[in-house]
Amino acid sequence: MDNKLKKTEKNTGLVPSFFNRYFNDDFFKNMFDGDMPATNVTENDNEFKLDLSVPGYSKEDFKVTIDKNILTVSAQKEVKNEEKGDNEKIIRQEFRSSSFRRSFTLPEDIDTDSIKAEQHDGILEISLPKSEKAKEDNVRKIEIK
């Protein structure tokens, strides 16, 4: 099983090589790590979309920033200990504080002024609109000499 794991780690077939240009190499590395939210990435003609699975967080827990072409998503959730009445005591408490921080290197053709984020039903959805230049048809014929 150890050999199979090593082979899987080296396998780049899951992520096409052109995709690596747009996002950090560690984009999928921690997808199933308990400390990092699983992330889906989609693309259409107008935008990329990041969907992060973040159940239990509210929109006030998030901080989404962009610095040059680095998008950083972080969250901090504090769970306060509850005071119980005279006739009640906490036998076991498994609620805890949790946080994460995840950064993505964006393509240069993202319109960073138009990035939007929404949080609903345990999903943080970040829309990364493409610039008008990126939407243009870049197909051209190459003359063979």
Side-chain angles (χ1 to χ4, degrees):
M1 184 165 181
D2 225 11
N3 290 338
K4 188 175 183 181
L5 257 179
K6 288 178 184 175
K7 187 175 182 181
T8 303
E9 289 172 356
K10 293 178 186 176
N11 183 4
T12 59
L14 180 64
V15 181
S17 61
F18 75 89
F19 198 78
N20 289 338
R21 289 182 296 173
Y22 296 120
F23 297 97
N24 291 343
D25 288 338
D26 67 343
F27 188 80
F28 287 103
K29 182 173 76 176
N30 294 319
M31 179 179 278
F32 300 105
D33 187 349
D35 295 339
M36 293 291 193
T39 303
N40 291 335
V41 181
T42 57
E43 177 187 13
N44 61 38
D45 291 340
N46 298 316
E47 68 182 354
F48 288 97
K49 193 176 291 183
L50 298 176
D51 291 331
L52 289 84
S53 176
V54 288
Y57 287 93
S58 66
K59 70 180 187 177
E60 294 79 20
D61 297 330
F62 293 104
K63 181 177 179 185
V64 180
T65 60
I66 187 149
D67 183 13
K68 297 180 182 149
N69 67 331
I70 305 292
L71 177 79
T72 301
V73 180
S74 59
Q76 177 79 31
K77 182 170 183 71
E78 298 289 332
V79 178
K80 298 178 182 175
N81 290 333
E82 293 182 30
E83 298 275 336
K84 297 294 180 181
D86 291 337
N87 295 333
E88 232 180 329
K89 63 181 178 179
I90 296 175
I91 303 296
R92 180 177 182 148
Q93 185 168 356
E94 294 183 345
F95 292 6
R96 61 180 177 87
S97 298
S98 59
S99 64
F100 70 86
R101 178 183 170 98
R102 192 153 186 198
S103 295
F104 307 93
T105 302
L106 301 178
E108 292 178 15
D109 56 1
I110 295 295
D111 180 1
T112 56
D113 293 331
S114 299
I115 294 174
K116 295 180 182 171
E118 290 183 25
Q119 189 269 338
H120 53 85
D121 298 330
I123 303 293
L124 177 63
E125 182 180 290
I126 302 173
S127 171
L128 305 163
K130 295 179 181 178
S131 66
E132 288 303 315
K133 183 179 177 185
K135 294 179 194 176
E136 294 174 7
D137 187 9
N138 292 326
V139 176
R140 64 183 180 102
K141 184 177 179 179
I142 307 295
E143 184 179 333
I144 301 172
K145 297 182 181 184

